[in-house]
Amino acid sequence: MNYNWSFAPIFENWQVLAIGAVGTLRLFVICLVIGMGLGLVVALGRRAEARPLRWLSRAFVEVFRNTPVLVQILWFYYALPILAPVEIGPFTAAILGISLNSAAYSAEIFRGGIQSIEPGQWEAARAIAMTPAQVMRRVILPQAVRRIVPALTNRGVEIFKMSTLASVVAYVELLNQGKLIASIYFNPLEVYTIIAALFFLLLYPIVRLTYALERRLARSDA
Amino acid sequence: MSVLKLVGISKSFGGTRVFENVDLDVEKGDRIAILGASGSGKSTLLRCINLLETPDAGSIEIGGTKVGSAGRSGLRISERDLQALRLRAGMVFQQFNLFPHMTVAGNVAEGLSTVRRMSRPDARTRAIMELARVGLADKADAYPARLSGGQKQRVAIARALAMDPEILLFDEPTSALDPALVGEVLGVIEQLAEEGRTMLLVTHEIGFAYHVANRILFLAEGGIYESGTPDEVLKHPRRPLTQHFLKEHKRFQF
Amino acid sequence: MYEWDFGPVLAESGVLLAGFRNTLELTATALAGGLVVGLLLALARLSPRRRLRWPAGVVIEVFRTTPPLVQLFWFYFGLPIVVSVEMTPFLAAALTFTIQSGAFFAEILRAGIVSIERGQWEAASAIGMRPHQTMRRVILPQAVKRMFPSMMERSIELMKTTTLVATVSYADLLFQANELAQKTFRPLEVFTLVALVYFVAITCLSGLGSLLERRFARSGEFAA
Ligand SMILES: Nc1ncnc2c1ncn2[C@@H]1O[C@H](COP(=O)(O)OP(=O)(O)O)[C@@H](O)[C@H]1O
Ligand SMILES: [Mg+2]
């Protein structure tokens, strides 16, 4: 195993990776916001009075959780434009696939958090004549969100990792740019090592943070 | 004949001393009840005897053989010595600690097959024998979750008995039970006492201790504060903390 | 309004079926491997020996924190450069997903093991069981049962993640779908059908999971 690693071509082309990093970040931020926001809406939809609303939310969650996100992205990329008169580029397809998928997962996290609050909290709040909406906003959600911060952070990390799938439809992000460099310099080993390292260095501190949060939460609940 | 001998046992947790220099000599057939306020170190003393906790200093002799050797931080014990010791001292816990994924008979047979290397059918036969002794042979194939607290504790006793220990250690065996279920467990312990078993019993059932034990130890102030026969310690305590403890315990009795 | 027509796609359903078989094969391989790797990693991580604990920690954290597609590319395009192996898409995928799911399984198992009450360890050692006997006979059976839902969920994630192998031309369901879409000029029907196949397969799997879970619960040993 005396292979001569050569990282020079990668460092010389750092701008190529930088462009990719910007693309990754842009995709990540948009998908994070839509994914979490829509996730909360869907979670509340699952507890709605109106049956169709409950049913629709449930179907949304099941469909997007029980199919692979890559199939979703490709479906939006190749299939949706045939149905709807819209131009769908790689960026839009990736946003749709990743956000909706993440919304389904976040919805389950929110739902779990809401359900984990003891019935006594509902009863106590209702007993002082708060409306259901008030109970949710003032009593349940603040407690639930605190409990699910680690799970949501974890979801954020997953969204970041998922952004690499956009390379499959040739959206310009880190992995896609890496492929480009590797195809020019024939150095896939170095390129993919660097990319893996970049992701690790960026995400690992956040992962450690979720561990710390989980520990703190476990202690305060005990 | 001495079954168990503790000499100069000390234990502290991160700077807070639980007890220091405890000596204890247990003869065959002794039934020793250990009393004391909560936090006085009763559990820790029992757990030091079968080395669930390692004493910081002192020596333990069981059945005439010394356990381990003095090391830099307390006793040094090989895995083999540890196992040998634990086979000679059976332990019954306050929270039962039954194995929830095994049936009642499975719980009792487990040590026989994995430690004593008995064949599974033999282990089961023996397990059912032990269960009959505590009146639970009919529950052999139930899972622990299906039992009442009193039944669980009787299974735990059978599990300890199956290993043929020379001495039995009970750590508040009835404290986790509904008052109505205490009697059935005490009944089993009483029966073991009548058979002449050697036992150390931590309990808050003072009446039972008086009735069953031949010696009482009262723990306080980091050691054995007062000891003697049940009449001496429970009827005519000489030292103030013992007197106070017993008075508190009798407050709501009639 | 678009005229749906599944005819041309269904006429070639054999292509998709072959792909589905490959997907299942890869999933099963990585699942079996992942469980073994996961158990070993979990035990190493809980070991009192630093020399075992540390490398296990690194493998677990790296494979959980980097994107699976990057891992796959690394094994497929990168690894053959330093190790002389005939790297096939299947081998690369099996390696990647075995280690990756092993890392996730390890964390699940570890959490399960440490969640077992200390009293269980104490009761086992009080009847003279050695640590490895206690682990095998008392702790692991309870940890595995307690963690079964998480393990099931992870296995389903694994099946979904195997779609990534389409990018290195392993003929899984998604890859075959792509081929078929180009051949029939019916991407809408093909991708909808494929999504449906995954949906049904995964829903069945998770249904099976809940069924098993309930059976465990009924066997009476779960309640405290
Ligand atoms: N594992 C431990 N770590 C730290 N302190 C402990 C531990 N076990 C017991 N202690 C402390 O030792 C003292 C004696 O505890 P214990 O033996 O359980 O008392 P008892 O059984 O008489 O109620 C208590 O102050 C308790 O807080
Ligand atoms: Mg105690």
Side-chain angles (χ1 to χ4, degrees):
Chain A
M1 257 224 263
N2 34 25
Y3 173 73
N4 270 332
W5 294 72
S6 156
F7 288 103
I10 302 173
F11 295 130
E12 279 156 23
N13 288 283
W14 67 271
Q15 301 100 321
V16 179
L17 286 185
I19 292 171
V22 171
T24 294
L25 278 176
R26 204 153 62 113
L27 186 60
F28 166 68
V29 170
I30 294 176
C31 292
L32 183 74
V33 172
I34 301 180
M36 303 266 156
L38 187 60
L40 178 58
V41 171
V42 172
L44 293 176
R46 288 199 66 170
R47 309 178 51 93
E49 288 281 326
R51 241 182 130 88
L53 209 57
R54 278 208 307 269
W55 192 87
L56 206 69
S57 312
R58 165 117 202 245
F60 174 86
V61 169
E62 294 293 337
V63 166
F64 279 92
R65 269 170 55 103
N66 289 358
T67 49
V69 63
L70 193 52
V71 172
Q72 290 158 18
I73 294 174
L74 291 179
W75 193 90
F76 284 118
Y77 190 62
Y78 290 116
L80 188 61
I82 298 174
L83 276 183
V86 282
E87 193 73 34
I88 290 197
F91 188 46
T92 318
I95 289 179
L96 280 171
I98 297 173
S99 313
L100 296 184
N101 183 274
S102 306
Y105 277 90
S106 324
E108 284 300 277
I109 297 174
F110 279 114
R111 194 169 72 99
I114 293 170
Q115 270 179 353
S116 78
I117 305 298
E118 305 67 38
Q121 292 291 310
W122 280 96
E123 289 162 10
R126 297 287 285 151
I128 54 169
M130 290 170 90
T131 67
Q134 285 171 327
V135 179
M136 183 56 91
R137 198 164 45 82
R138 306 273 319 150
V139 179
I140 305 300
L141 276 183
Q143 297 184 62
V145 165
R146 220 178 64 88
R147 274 184 207 181
I148 61 179
V149 163
L152 286 180
T153 315
N154 237 326
R155 221 350 81 192
V157 170
E158 285 303 315
I159 294 176
F160 203 99
K161 285 158 62 182
M162 254 187 241
S163 67
T164 52
L165 299 189
S167 68
V168 174
V169 288
Y171 169 69
V172 176
E173 49 69 71
L174 261 175
L175 184 56
N176 198 53
Q177 295 296 85
K179 265 200 269 189
L180 187 68
I181 297 179
S183 68
I184 296 171
Y185 295 95
F186 303 106
N187 57 349
L189 183 63
E190 288 86 347
V191 166
Y192 297 125
T193 304
I194 288 280
I195 298 216
L198 280 177
F199 272 95
F200 186 78
L201 291 177
L202 214 73
L203 291 179
Y204 194 56
I206 302 172
V207 170
R208 290 306 295 248
L209 183 74
T210 64
Y211 292 165
L213 285 172
E214 271 164 15
R215 265 199 306 276
R216 230 184 56 188
L217 219 56
R219 237 178 314 150
S220 68
D221 274 0
Chain B
M1 192 183 93
S2 165
V3 178
L4 171 74
K5 192 172 166 132
L6 306 184
V7 180
I9 294 282
S10 303
K11 178 73 189 173
S12 40
F13 289 108
T16 45
R17 185 196 64 172
V18 183
F19 46 73
E20 209 158 2
N21 249 326
V22 169
D23 298 329
L24 181 65
D25 206 337
V26 183
E27 297 281 319
K28 191 164 173 16
D30 265 349
R31 302 163 312 275
I32 301 179
I34 303 175
L35 309 182
S38 167
S40 59
K42 306 181 295 293
S43 299
T44 307
L45 182 61
L46 280 198
R47 294 161 61 86
C48 279
I49 292 174
N50 77 344
L51 294 171
L52 285 174
E53 304 286 357
T54 315
D56 301 331
S59 72
I60 302 175
E61 241 176 63
I62 191 156
T65 40
K66 218 175 178 117
V67 181
S69 56
R72 232 155 37 88
S73 55
L75 277 179
R76 280 248 313 268
I77 305 120
S78 70
E79 190 64 41
R80 179 184 293 264
D81 282 356
L82 206 57
Q83 191 175 40
L85 168 80
R86 284 173 177 161
L87 287 176
R88 306 179 96 154
M91 178 111 178
V92 174
F93 301 86
Q94 182 176 341
Q95 297 297 340
F96 330 129
N97 294 344
L98 293 181
F99 305 134
H101 59 302
M102 299 177 190
T103 61
V104 163
N107 265 274
V108 181
E110 180 63 20
L112 294 171
S113 55
T114 55
V115 180
R116 292 252 189 245
R117 300 276 164 224
M118 213 182 254
S119 75
R120 298 232 170 240
D122 287 353
R124 186 180 158 86
T125 310
R126 172 73 196 272
I128 290 180
M129 224 173 77
E130 295 298 341
L131 284 169
R133 198 203 282 267
V134 298
L136 286 173
D138 57 324
K139 297 284 184 200
D141 294 313
Y143 280 95
R146 284 284 144 82
L147 304 184
S148 73
Q151 292 171 329
K152 280 183 198 168
Q153 193 59 297
R154 281 146 67 199
V155 175
I157 294 174
R159 181 172 67 181
L161 288 176
M163 305 308 289
D164 285 323
E166 285 158 38
I167 181 168
L168 284 166
L169 311 173
F170 294 91
D171 189 1
E172 300 196 29
T174 58
S175 294
L177 300 179
D178 286 343
L181 302 177
V182 168
E184 61 185 74
V185 173
L186 293 184
V188 169
I189 298 174
E190 183 183 22
Q191 173 197 326
L192 294 172
E194 280 162 6
E195 289 170 13
R197 297 258 178 184
T198 313
M199 59 177 75
L200 253 60
L201 169 71
V202 173
T203 185
H204 289 296
E205 306 286 339
I206 293 179
F208 182 73
Y210 179 82
H211 174 69
V212 163
N214 65 333
R215 254 164 85 197
I216 308 282
L217 306 182
F218 182 78
L219 296 197
E221 294 188 335
I224 299 177
Y225 181 80
E226 184 163 353
S227 68
T229 66
D231 271 317
E232 284 166 356
V233 177
L234 299 178
K235 284 253 166 89
H236 312 287
R238 278 168 295 138
R239 303 190 60 188
L241 287 180
T242 321
Q243 289 163 354
H244 180 74
F245 176 84
L246 290 169
K247 207 170 90 198
E248 280 299 304
H249 262 265
K250 284 181 191 140
R251 250 178 78 192
F252 296 109
Q253 286 178 10
F254 58 91
Chain C
M1 201 56 208
Y2 178 76
E3 286 270 333
W4 290 75
D5 182 7
F6 281 98
V9 180
L10 290 177
E12 301 265 6
S13 59
V15 178
L16 294 181
L17 209 63
F20 190 51
R21 201 173 315 121
N22 284 338
T23 290
L24 289 181
E25 196 177 304
L26 179 60
T27 307
T29 307
L31 184 62
L35 286 171
V36 175
V37 170
L39 181 61
L40 293 177
L41 283 175
L43 292 178
R45 189 142 208 215
L46 288 168
S47 154
R49 261 177 266 166
R50 270 179 71 102
R51 257 186 307 160
L52 286 178
R53 216 166 49 212
W54 204 79
V58 171
V59 172
I60 291 172
E61 300 293 8
V62 166
F63 276 86
R64 275 160 41 98
T65 318
T66 51
L69 192 53
V70 176
Q71 295 164 9
L72 181 63
F73 282 10
W74 194 92
F75 275 99
Y76 186 60
F77 298 112
L79 192 62
I81 295 176
V82 271
V83 184
S84 52
V85 281
E86 186 81 43
M87 191 53 83
T88 64
F90 180 80
L91 185 58
L95 263 175
T96 309
F97 297 134
T98 292
I99 305 177
Q100 200 224 137
S101 57
F104 278 98
F105 283 135
E107 269 310 276
I108 294 171
L109 276 173
R110 191 184 65 88
I113 290 169
V114 301
S115 79
I116 304 297
E117 303 67 36
R118 210 172 55 146
Q120 292 291 306
W121 284 97
E122 294 182 346
S125 58
I127 54 172
M129 292 172 80
R130 302 277 184 92
H132 68 271
Q133 291 174 322
T134 308
M135 181 59 96
R136 192 166 46 83
R137 304 266 318 154
V138 177
I139 306 299
L140 270 182
Q142 294 185 65
V144 166
K145 252 175 222 167
R146 198 171 282 189
M147 290 297 153
F148 183 79
S150 309
M151 310 267 283
M152 202 65 210
E153 203 177 289
R154 208 359 88 180
S155 309
I156 288 169
E157 285 305 312
L158 171 64
M159 183 182 218
K160 288 188 265 182
T161 315
T162 59
T163 49
L164 302 191
V165 293
T167 62
V168 293
S169 310
Y170 177 67
D172 80 325
L173 180 53
L174 184 58
F175 181 86
Q176 297 290 82
N178 213 6
E179 299 277 289
L180 195 58
Q182 283 169 22
K183 198 167 138 203
T184 58
F185 302 104
R186 291 261 160 207
L188 178 60
E189 286 83 350
V190 171
F191 283 106
T192 305
L193 188 66
V194 163
L196 195 71
V197 171
Y198 274 110
F199 180 79
V200 170
I202 288 167
T203 307
C204 286
L205 258 180
S206 67
L208 181 73
S210 337
L211 202 76
L212 288 174
E213 232 172 278
R214 246 173 293 139
R215 273 205 42 190
F216 281 156
R218 232 180 317 125
S219 66
E221 47 209 284
F222 247 138

